[in-house]
Amino acid sequence: MTTLSTTPTFDRMLSPLTVQGLTLPNRVVLAPMGTEMGLPDGRSTPREAAYYGARARGGTGLVITGINFVQSDLEPIAPGLARADSDEYTKGLADIAAAIHAGGGKAGLQLTPGLGRNNQYYDAMGMEPVSSSDNPYFFDPSRACRPLETDEIALIVQRTGEAARRAYEAGFDVIDLHGHTGYLVDQFMSAVWNRRTDRYGGSAENRARFAVECIQSIKENAPGVVVSFRISVDHLFEGGRTWEETKTLVQCLEAGGLDMILCDNGSYEAMDYVFPPYYLGDNCMASAARQVKEAVSIPVGACGNITPESGEQILARDEADLIVIGRGLIADPDIVVKLKEGRPGDIRPCIRCNQLCTGNAFFGKAIGCAVNPEVGYEAERIISPTDEPKTIAVIGAGPAGLEFARVAGLRGHRVHVYDRADRVGGVLLPAATPEFKRELFRMISWWERQLAAIENVTIHLGHEINAGDRELDGADVIVAATGSHPFIPASVAGSDHGVDVLAFHEGAPVGRRVIVCGGGLSGADAALELAQNGHEVTVVEMAEEIARDMLMLNRTSLLRELAAHNVTILTSTTVTTIHPRGVTVAGPEGTAELEADTVITAFGLTSATELGQALGTVLTVGDCVSPRKVGDAVNDAYELALTV
């Protein structure tokens, strides 16, 4: 009997939803996230409008912009952050709304009344930290914030209404009040930060009063506009707000006139949940929406590492009304269009690395994407046909080689990709073996699918290329994407007794007790994978910290998971010898012998430059130029392919 394969359907995600008279074409929402694409004075730019417009053209039902500050009376606004606190910003906001509408989506603007104790720019701008109560300043807990006076609260409410009027005049359909992550509104709502004894403190109704007054001010100044609210249902730190406290608050917000609520978890004290890395897995905050939906009658949005497949399941279980996607829609703005066309396999997956999206934003740089080099350049980076098709040989089918081949092939070049392995992916393939990194496997599959659809691209697997091979004779351009080699310090004796970390990922056997030499990202991730699988693991790192080059919020998750799985971490400790029974190390306490059944070496990588040097005049890209992160290789390869 023949079994017919079927493409999954996404009828629920693609169905419309009407909220207070506004009909959203589908249930997919772009989560509000700051882009850092504005001018230093906070004005929006055509670049930003193009970014949001692309998500609307890709079918997203509701596109919400991130963080637009409504006042600088009591808090500083850092240069480059989006603003709506003056009429001079209305024109730029209108351009964004127009771009979204032109793309067929509904437009939402997030308004941020303040960050309170979480604003790091007070000192730089000569201002005093403020909050709901005399809370410790997050960036210097030895200092207390000044509690806002009631007339100052009234001023912020007024400013919120004024910003809402600008949003209304700019043509936005939805206004989202920024109430999560422990920002100012959240500080008023939460007992952990609100110890006031006036009408803004005490009972849940009083703690919700500031938020409700902002909601009502928005409605008064933007008649007919749907008002949304993004809330942290559980702060996820000891003493922070939990569902028991939040339940009454969301009911107060609904009674105060709220039309829609977007639910997640986290706070600055649990920052990794604000932008959940791959360690947290799928649907890591879907429970927040499920809890809120049981307590209110207004539409509820679910957030947190949600894929189209899991989003459809959440809607089918009636655990949410909307699926809110942030970084997934950065990675692929065309998710909805591809679902409508029955092409879910063509959706470029977000690998949840946070490298160029959140990582850039944290440092005041415009967001990008590790897997989508067109982010922020939607009007500029357009793959167009070449006038001079060439024959190109690409040596190496890792991330850089695959992305170069994809872009060059779409431009019309005849591309031959050679790799000695039996599957594409390069170093990404073994790195993707942990369950928490399975999105990397999806990325490899995505490249395979895209390249298979380009007739002028041919992949030659199990085919090693050396200098002088005849396969290169007819190539107009040769691209070396040969990757990297494992690095072993010359000072380490007995390295042949160790198992390279990539060999471990490829299936090399390991014993119960494992020592991982090197606490960089690959070593730390290998340690976590081993510990999750029941091994007794010790990480030895010569620096003072492990994974010190990781983005802070990713590292927060990693360290918590390593601790939860009882991984021993020895820092400021150098491996001097690897032997069959373990390692010899030199640390703060002197020399010591550590026993293990298996020693894994993860000291780092060095560029594989040999073939490129032997070939002479070639283009080089990826780790063979300099070992870096996946996003660097992909973005460099994309840009290089546009120049050929």
Side-chain angles (χ1 to χ4, degrees):
M1 183 176 67
T2 302
T3 301
L4 299 177
S5 61
T6 59
T7 301
T9 60
F10 297 88
D11 295 340
R12 293 174 180 83
M13 287 185 68
L14 298 177
S15 65
L17 175 69
T18 299
V19 184
Q20 292 297 316
L22 176 71
T23 299
L24 306 178
N26 54 66
R27 306 298 180 99
V28 179
V29 179
L30 173 66
M33 294 175 59
T35 67
E36 305 286 344
M37 293 180 192
L39 297 175
D41 65 3
R43 283 179 293 163
S44 302
T45 61
R47 179 184 186 188
E48 194 172 19
Y51 164 82
Y52 287 117
R55 274 78 205 153
R57 287 196 307 276
T60 306
L62 173 59
V63 176
I64 307 181
T65 73
I67 306 181
N68 289 266
F69 284 83
V70 307
Q71 58 90 17
S72 60
D73 305 272
L74 298 159
E75 284 194 44
I77 302 176
L81 293 179
R83 302 173 67 151
D85 60 321
S86 168
D87 290 346
E88 68 181 297
Y89 301 110
T90 304
K91 170 63 169 61
L93 297 177
D95 290 343
I96 291 174
I100 295 170
H101 289 148
K106 300 301 181 183
L109 186 76
Q110 184 179 66
L111 297 182
T112 305
L115 307 185
R117 65 185 291 267
N118 292 347
N119 192 325
Q120 61 182 305
Y121 294 99
Y122 287 110
D123 291 340
M125 299 190 181
M127 300 181 76
E128 180 183 14
V130 296
S131 183
S132 51
S133 298
D134 57 346
N135 294 303
Y137 181 36
F138 183 82
F139 296 96
D140 181 1
S142 67
R143 297 166 59 187
C145 297
R146 179 179 65 79
L148 287 165
E149 302 290 342
T150 54
D151 61 334
E152 293 173 326
I153 296 170
L155 178 61
I156 297 173
V157 171
Q158 175 188 329
R159 295 287 188 250
T160 302
E162 292 167 352
R165 173 184 55 79
R166 297 180 187 106
Y168 175 77
E169 293 171 349
F172 283 91
D173 308 291
V174 174
I175 294 176
D176 182 73
L177 184 62
H178 200 169
H180 79 146
T181 318
Y183 288 157
L184 185 62
V185 172
D186 204 359
Q187 289 161 37
F188 271 86
M189 292 197 302
S190 307
V192 66
W193 295 310
N194 187 338
R195 296 173 298 282
R196 302 177 72 98
T197 57
D198 60 10
R199 63 195 186 99
Y200 291 98
S203 67
E205 291 76 11
N206 281 354
R207 283 183 280 112
R209 188 181 304 278
F210 175 44
V212 168
E213 289 180 351
C214 286
I215 291 168
Q216 293 173 345
S217 185
I218 291 169
K219 284 183 166 287
E220 291 168 4
N221 286 275
V225 170
V226 170
V227 181
S228 172
F229 190 97
R230 193 164 186 192
I231 190 168
S232 295
V233 172
D234 192 323
H235 285 148
L236 297 174
F237 71 91
E238 187 174 354
R241 197 176 69 233
T242 63
W243 167 239
E244 287 70 24
E245 184 181 355
T246 299
K247 180 177 181 179
T248 305
L249 291 169
V250 295
Q251 292 170 338
C252 291
L253 297 178
E254 180 179 14
L258 186 65
D259 301 314
M260 185 168 71
I261 189 162
L262 312 180
C263 306
D264 59 19
N265 290 324
S267 57
Y268 269 38
E269 286 76 6
M271 179 63 82
D272 52 326
Y273 276 87
V274 181
F275 301 98
Y278 49 73
Y279 301 109
L280 297 182
D282 290 348
N283 311 328
C284 57
M285 295 182 285
S287 61
R290 182 180 67 247
Q291 290 172 311
V292 171
K293 187 164 174 57
E294 294 173 352
V296 300
S297 60
I298 56 178
V300 173
C303 312
N305 287 355
I306 298 177
T307 65
E309 293 78 11
S310 62
E312 183 72 7
Q313 294 166 7
I314 289 168
L315 295 177
R317 295 192 297 266
D318 198 30
E319 295 175 353
D321 305 287
L322 296 155
I323 300 302
V324 186
I325 301 175
R327 293 162 302 164
L329 279 165
I330 295 176
D332 194 331
D334 301 321
I335 288 177
V336 173
V337 164
K338 291 174 180 177
L339 293 180
K340 286 181 178 179
E341 295 175 352
R343 299 189 294 120
D346 285 327
I347 295 173
R348 184 194 284 112
C350 168
I351 61 174
R352 303 170 184 172
C353 65
N354 286 324
Q355 180 191 350
L356 298 176
C357 52
T358 306
N360 277 7
F362 273 4
F363 296 101
K365 298 192 296 184
I367 64 169
C369 180
V371 298
N372 181 4
E374 294 171 3
V375 171
Y377 300 95
E378 282 78 6
E380 304 155 59
R381 291 185 178 172
I382 298 171
I383 301 174
S384 55
T386 179
D387 295 329
E388 299 180 19
K390 297 179 176 67
T391 298
I392 302 175
V394 179
I395 307 170
L402 295 174
E403 182 65 5
F404 181 94
R406 183 185 75 87
V407 178
L410 289 174
R411 296 192 63 216
H413 295 297
R414 297 174 296 276
V415 185
H416 291 269
V417 182
Y418 300 92
D419 200 291
R420 62 187 176 188
D422 59 3
R423 186 177 176 186
V424 303
V427 71
L428 209 61
L429 193 58
T433 57
E435 175 64 17
F436 53 79
K437 280 190 169 181
R438 64 184 178 276
E439 294 304 306
L440 291 179
F441 267 129
R442 292 185 62 205
M443 191 65 207
I444 295 169
S445 298
W446 182 82
W447 269 311
E448 288 179 319
R449 184 179 176 92
Q450 303 314 302
L451 292 173
I454 306 173
E455 293 182 358
N456 43 303
V457 175
T458 305
I459 309 292
H460 306 269
L461 296 175
H463 196 128
E464 185 170 4
I465 292 291
N466 296 293
D469 285 355
R470 63 182 183 179
E471 289 90 342
L472 305 180
D473 291 346
D476 301 307
V477 177
I478 299 173
V479 178
T482 47
S484 55
H485 301 306
F487 169 72
I488 302 290
S491 59
V492 177
S495 60
D496 56 319
H497 294 299
V499 175
D500 177 67
V501 66
L502 293 182
F504 153 66
H505 287 308
E506 290 168 344
V510 296
R512 183 180 65 83
R513 299 174 302 165
V514 181
I515 291 174
V516 179
C517 303
L521 178 58
S522 65
D525 278 353
L528 179 56
E529 179 183 7
L530 285 159
Q532 289 177 337
N533 291 329
H535 295 269
E536 180 183 313
V537 185
T538 298
V539 178
V540 181
E541 167 58 44
M542 65 184 298
E544 295 180 358
E545 299 177 318
I546 69 164
R548 57 179 178 172
D549 294 333
M550 285 184 72
L551 186 65
M552 173 269 295
L553 62 89
N554 291 20
R555 189 169 181 270
T556 298
S557 275
L558 171 63
L559 294 179
R560 185 176 58 240
E561 289 298 310
L562 290 172
H565 288 86
N566 301 311
V567 173
T568 300
I569 298 173
L570 303 178
T571 55
S572 300
T573 303
T574 302
V575 175
T576 60
T577 305
I578 301 173
H579 48 74
R581 300 170 307 283
V583 298
T584 303
V585 300
E589 305 300 323
T591 301
E593 299 292 330
L594 305 179
E595 293 187 356
D597 302 309
T598 304
V599 176
I600 291 177
T601 56
F603 292 109
L605 301 170
T606 183
S607 295
T609 59
E610 303 86 359
L611 182 58
Q613 291 172 350
L615 290 171
T617 306
V618 298
L619 301 177
T620 56
V621 69
D623 277 4
C624 69
V625 177
S626 174
R628 291 174 294 163
K629 295 182 173 65
V630 173
D632 300 313
V634 172
N635 279 260
D636 289 352
Y638 179 101
E639 292 186 65
L640 181 63
L642 290 185
T643 68
V644 175

